[in-house]
Every structure is written in C-alpha cells, then in structure tokens.
Amino acid sequence: MKLLNYTSKYFAFLLFFVLTGWAVIFYFQMLDEIYDSMDDGLENQKMLVIRNSKQQDAINIKPEFGDGYYTLYSISERSALGFKDSYRDTLMYMQNEKDYEPVRLLESVFKKGDEYYKVKIITSMVEEDDLIEDLLFSIIWLYLGLIFSIIILNNLILKKVWNPFYKLIGNLRKFKIENDTEIELPDSKIEEFNILNENIQTLISKSVKSYRSQKQFIENASHELQTPIAISINKLELLLEDNGLEESQANRIISVIENLERLSRFNQSLLLLSKIENKQFPNVDEINFNELTQSIVADFEDLLIHRNIEIEIESIDELNFSINPDLAQILLTNLIKNAILHNADSGKIKIRITSGKWQISNPGKIALIEKDLFARFQKVKDNSHSSGLGLAISRAIAELYQLELSYTFGDAHIFKIDFPQHK
Amino acid sequence: MKILIIEDEKDMLQNMQETLVKENYLVETASDLNAAISKVGVYDYDCILLDINLPDGSGMEILNFLKENEKTEGVIIVSARNSVDDRITGLNTGADDYIAKPFHMAELNARVKALLRRKKFDGSELLKIGNISIDTEKHIAQTGYGEMELNRKEFDILTYLATNQNRLVSKSALAEHVWGDHIDQADSFEFIYSQIKNLRKKLKDVRAEVEIKAVYGIGYKLTLT
C-alpha cells in the first residue's frame, strides 16, 4: 500500500469514529435543548391558562382540544391531591398531516375556590425520526466531504511534500552498483529528506568505492599473476625438453605444470568474469544459436566418443540473438561442458532449441541446489580440474544480456536459457 | 633466419629466446621501445615478436615505425592482455599474428614457423620433415608413397608435432592448439590418444620416416626414424 493511501486509510477510520461519536452527542444535546425550550413554553402557557381561569368568574370548562391547545376540566379532590406537574410525549391526530404525530403534553392541576381542575397543554414536537434522518445524511455528506478533501490534500500537498522521497526511491530502484554510475539526489526544502539524501549519498559512494577497488584489485591481481605463471610454465616446459631427466623427475615437473595451468585457467576465468561484469565486450553480432550449438558439440566430439556419451540436438526453431560472439560461445560451451563432465553413466545429453529457449538436459538422480550452482567457486568434490567458475561465468553472461539462465530438476538436470522476446 | 624479441619481462624473454635458439634461429632481443626501434632501424629481421606493454611506450609504435619505413618483417604480437582491443588494433596496424600470454613454448614455435612459411622466408610454403611434405595451405600431407588421408584434427596434430620436431609437446599444448581453449580441464586429455593412434597408423601406411613417441605419458614427440 502506498504511503498516501496508507495515511488516508487511517484518516478515514479515525474520522468515521469521531464523526459518529460527535453525531450521537450532538443529537442528544440538541434534543435536550429542544425539550427544554418546549417545556419552558408549555410552562408559560400553563401559567397563562391558570391565571386566565382564576381571573374569570366562572371556569370555562374545555374537555376537548378542538381548535385550542389545551383542555380544562374539574377533577375530584382525591385524585388532585399529590398531583405534580408532568411532562410527557404522546400522539395526537394532526389534520394537516392526516396522521398521528408526536406532541409534548403538560398536565397540571390547580385549585379555584373549593374545586380542583386539571389542565392539559400541548405543543407540537420535533419528529425525531426526521431529525435523525436529516442528521445522518448531513453527517454522511460531511464524512464524504472530509475524506474527499483529505485525499485531494494528500495527493496535492503531501505528494508535493513527499516528492523528493519518491524521486529518491525511483533513483535507488534504478541504481545498480555494477553500472558504475553515481546516484543523483535532488535537494529538498525539508530537512529530514536532505539528511536522508546525504546519508544515502554517503552510503552509496562508499559502496561504489569499495566495489570499484575490489573489482580493480581482482583485475590487477589476476593480470599481474598472468606473467609469472606463464614464465614458470614455460621454464618448466624447457626443463622437460632436457634429455636425461628421469621419469620420476619428469612426472614431478609435469605435476607442477598441471597445477600451474590450473592456476592460470582459474585466473583467466576470474579475469573473464570481471571483464563481463565490466561490460568489456561491446561488439555484438546476430548469432544463430542452432549453428553455434552444432559447432561446439562438434568440438567436443572426441571427448564424447572417449567418454561414450551421446548428445542429441533437437533444433525445433531457429534461435537468433544479438550477442557478443565470444560470450555466446563461452555461455554455451560452459553449459555443454558442464553436462559432459558431470555425466556419470554415459547417459544421453539432450539439447532442445525452440524459439526463445535453449535447454540442455543431462540424466541425473539427485537435484542440485540452484543458488549454489551458479555461485562462484562452487566445486563438485570429485572434480579437482574444475575451477568452479564455469556456471558463474555463464550466469554473468546471461545477466549481461537479460537472458534468464535457470536450473530445474525432473528426472534429469535441466539448464535452460530463456531469451527475451524482443531482440 | 633472424628473429627479434621485444619483451620487457626478463624471464619471459629468456624463455622465448631459448626456445627459438633451439630451432637454430638467430635471436636478438630488446627490452624496451628505444632499444627495439634502434635495432629495427638498423637491421632487417624475418620475424619480430612484440610485447605491446613496454616500460617506455606502446609496442604499437614499432608497428607504425615498420609501416612508415616500408619494412616487411613479420610481426607476432605477444601480449599478456588477452584483450580484443589489442588484437584488433595490432592486426589492423600490420601485425601478422597475435599470441596471448600464457602460451606454451610449442605454440610460440608453431606460430613463428607458420608465419615464416606464410611469408615464404623458408623458401617454400611446404613443411618438410623426413620424407613427408606438408602443405598447410592446401591441407595435404604426402610422402613419395602417396597422400595421407587425414581429417582436420589429425592434420593439425601432425603439423603441430612436425613444427615442433624433436621437442616434447605436452598434451595440454596439443589439445589447446587442435581442439581449442575451451576443451581445457577435460579428462586429462585422454581422448587425444585415439587420434594419435589413428595418425600413427596412417603414417605407417605411407611409409613415413617419422615416429610419434609418447613421452612420460604427458606428451608426444615427433622424431625421424
């Protein structure tokens, strides 16, 4: 949920309860006030009627309301004694409304001479249901109006206020440390945002700096290692050519050479990896992956015969993609070589090429863990010749071109490259 | 046959020199740009091995110098930086070949010989060893008893071993040359053996006076019988 909507949601909740509570209190207070003023009016009229009656010689008995607002009749002394003024609500038939409507009624008793009289005074009253209805509608309109205003306010003002924050988020989302670009943070009038920006800026430039120096270090280290390794291998090769070496001596030299070659390959893989990540393979060609697969498999022909492995290529569609030719070659070679080297029981390797998909499957029994597979230096224990960088390199190449390289396990290990639809 | 090696790394220079001296070339060396230019200016060489990264400048200047002075030396760029840029610029500026460090001594030897053959400095484009003559352009190997029927790999192995006659060629050097870089680490190159076996049989068929010997189980050596 977005920040703006989030606050709006809370406002909506809060306003709902506040307004409801307010409406209830308001309703009762208003009602109380209305009753109060009506009762005052009735009291006044009562006093007028009683005074009027007392001034006249004969009591004007009036048993029905008729066209007036009061009744007046005599009652027995017994029922008059102890009677106190009482207000109550009752219904009365109204000519205009043609219905019973609530009225306020005041009953009172007074004495003239020896006679007791009861007087009833009415006044028409608020229709409570109408009042409630009106009030409810007003409240609903007020509520909607407030919510609407808050949303508008949020969207106009808060959005403006939070603008630097959203810009920051946008920039952070686009930021990739590998791209070697600094992040641009706009100045804000709001202090907190400036502090946030400053801190992020510092954090990022620190990360970029350490990323760069780390990259530089790997590059320099592998680059500087190349020459001494090459010299050592060459010296040993020359030494081997000397006649008069005993076989055991020669074997030791060879073992050293082999290890140096391993070191050299490993070093080259590291260099390659950092070159890929530094995007140092700018030239791009339209590569036909069907042909490329054929040619790589052909290169492995002798190894395949030697290991008694068969590779079946199922070219269903033509697969063309714009990519650096060397990297395309490395990408597929690593995957194919991986399948060959980890093919334990002379199983059949299948390569399937459809439009937008390149897939290699290699029979196996136990699923491997995907995240470990593509990690660097992930070694299979029985293969000391492997640098553990092959699949990491393939993945780096895939990521460079927004290809999706994934591993799944059915009854075989399946490595799949998904090509984006646009070329 | 005169070769100039321009390389600032002393040990590297020594290795290359030793290898080429064994092939009876006259080898001279220069370890910086100034020395190199004065040598190139005065003498004519058949082949120059050129390191691009020199302490006092870029080896590319030698290429420009040769071009300006219309010299015809064959140049092989030797660079630790296996970068596409170096290779392309070098080859565009007139270098004939490019070899990236690290390389096997056998590979260096093969590249130099191939260049000299292409430039016909040997007087012939044919590689002759014993009674076999190998035409690397037309991919033909034959003796007086007939032409050998070789597939591409067998032909490449034969050529490679023949250029490195009497020298030990390790399996990894052979595999890298014939099968390409990416075949590395594959099963200690056991699969090379079947190709060698076929090649030996085919050599026998044309009564070639050469022999491919396995040495210490780590490589092969082609010698005259």
Side-chain angles (χ1 to χ4, degrees), chain A residues 2-4 158-159 162-171:
Chain A
K2 280 198 169 180
L3 182 72
L4 291 179
L158 283 185
K159 212 169 199 171
W162 284 93
N163 193 29
F165 180 71
Y166 285 112
K167 265 195 190 149
L168 174 67
I169 291 178
N171 282 338

Side-chain angles (χ1 to χ4, degrees), chain A residues 284-297:
Chain A
V284 162
D285 261 342
E286 180 92 354
I287 299 290
N288 181 304
F289 274 68
N290 308 68
E291 284 168 18
L292 182 61
T293 308
Q294 291 282 0
S295 91
I296 293 171
V297 170

Side-chain angles (χ1 to χ4, degrees), chain A residues 39-75:
Chain A
D39 291 353
D40 282 353
L42 286 173
E43 176 82 22
N44 184 46
Q45 276 167 357
K46 178 197 87 178
M47 284 162 75
L48 286 175
V49 168
I50 293 173
R51 196 178 65 188
N52 217 6
S53 299
K54 282 188 175 167
Q55 281 169 357
Q56 286 171 355
D57 299 335
I59 291 277
N60 199 0
I61 295 296
K62 191 168 175 284
E64 289 294 322
F65 285 104
D67 59 345
Y69 56 88
Y70 69 97
T71 60
L72 183 69
Y73 49 91
S74 67
I75 52 167

Side-chain angles (χ1 to χ4, degrees), chain A residues 6-20:
Chain A
Y6 197 75
T7 49
S8 301
K9 189 184 79 177
Y10 276 100
F11 271 124
F13 264 113
L14 188 69
L15 276 179
F16 181 75
F17 289 111
V18 167
L19 283 181
T20 311

Side-chain angles (χ1 to χ4, degrees), chain B residues 11-127:
Chain B
D11 284 319
M12 196 74 200
L13 185 65
Q14 204 186 344
N15 286 343
M16 290 159 78
Q17 189 175 11
E18 199 177 321
T19 300
L20 295 172
V21 165
K22 274 190 184 174
E23 298 293 320
N24 297 319
Y25 294 121
L26 195 63
V27 182
E28 292 196 14
T29 62
S31 56
D32 56 42
L33 195 61
N34 275 331
I37 286 188
S38 55
K39 283 205 168 167
V40 171
V42 178
Y43 305 105
D44 286 328
Y45 296 93
D46 298 301
C47 174
I48 296 173
L49 295 168
L50 175 63
D51 186 359
I52 292 295
N53 301 309
L54 293 171
D56 52 347
S58 165
M60 294 291 176
E61 285 181 36
I62 304 274
L63 287 172
N64 291 326
F65 180 84
L66 292 174
K67 222 179 189 178
E68 281 161 19
N69 293 282
E70 293 176 354
K71 290 186 150 261
T72 55
E73 274 92 342
V75 179
I76 300 176
I77 291 176
V78 178
S79 174
R81 227 190 303 158
N82 187 8
S83 88
V84 184
D85 293 346
D86 263 10
R87 182 161 52 200
I88 292 169
T89 342
L91 296 180
N92 284 343
T93 325
D96 299 274
D97 202 354
Y98 177 97
I99 183 167
K101 291 177 196 169
F103 47 80
H104 296 279
M105 287 292 116
E107 186 65 32
L108 176 70
N109 192 23
R111 297 288 186 100
V112 171
K113 288 226 171 117
L115 176 64
L116 294 176
R117 255 199 327 273
R118 277 209 304 279
K119 295 235 157 194
K120 296 185 192 164
F121 289 139
D122 267 338
S124 156
E125 277 178 273
L126 296 181
L127 177 64

Side-chain angles (χ1 to χ4, degrees), chain A residues 200-377:
Chain A
I200 286 177
Q201 193 95 54
T202 323
L203 200 64
I204 283 178
S205 51
K206 258 189 205 165
S207 314
V208 167
K209 219 166 138 190
S210 73
Y211 179 77
R212 270 191 209 145
S213 68
Q214 194 189 346
K215 224 167 56 175
Q216 200 91 49
F217 176 76
I218 295 174
E219 251 180 86
N220 290 346
S222 4
H223 189 228
E224 291 305 318
L225 276 171
Q226 287 298 74
T227 309
I229 294 172
I231 291 169
S232 311
I233 292 175
N234 293 158
K235 286 224 183 285
L236 291 167
E237 279 179 339
L238 288 168
L239 182 59
L240 263 184
E241 286 181 10
D242 284 353
N243 295 320
L245 276 181
E246 280 177 27
E247 186 157 355
S248 67
Q249 291 170 322
N251 279 329
R252 260 179 235 165
I253 295 173
I254 282 146
S255 158
V256 177
I257 292 180
E258 278 173 357
N259 279 295
L260 285 173
E261 281 177 345
R262 237 176 84 196
L263 182 62
S264 168
R265 274 199 302 272
F266 174 73
N267 201 37
Q268 281 170 344
S269 299
L270 268 184
L271 261 179
L272 177 64
L273 203 53
S274 65
K275 275 184 188 166
I276 293 168
E277 285 169 353
N278 289 345
K279 300 197 168 62
Q280 288 174 354
F281 292 88
N283 59 317
V284 162
D285 261 342
E286 180 92 354
I287 299 290
N288 181 304
F289 274 68
N290 308 68
E291 284 168 18
L292 182 61
T293 308
Q294 291 282 0
S295 91
I296 293 171
V297 170
D299 285 343
F300 281 110
E301 190 192 342
D302 297 305
L303 180 61
L304 291 170
I305 294 169
H306 175 70
R307 296 200 48 161
N308 195 22
I309 298 170
E310 203 185 321
I311 294 190
E312 182 189 291
I313 303 175
E314 203 181 343
S315 272
I316 293 169
D317 300 302
E318 287 288 306
L319 179 56
N320 291 300
F321 190 71
S322 295
I323 186 171
N324 178 283
D326 293 332
L327 293 186
Q329 168 104 23
I330 293 166
L331 171 65
L332 294 194
T333 302
N334 283 350
L335 291 176
I336 294 172
K337 190 156 74 184
N338 186 61
I340 296 172
L341 293 182
H342 298 294
N343 189 301
D345 339 299
S346 302
K348 194 178 193 178
I349 296 170
K350 283 182 194 159
I351 299 175
R352 191 180 148 89
I353 307 167
T354 55
S355 68
K357 223 172 252 176
W358 188 97
Q359 165 178 322
I360 185 163
S361 65
N362 185 27
K365 290 192 181 74
I366 308 152
L368 305 165
I369 302 159
E370 184 172 0
K371 79 169 167 41
D372 290 348
L373 264 181
F374 296 107
R376 290 176 191 188
F377 311 123

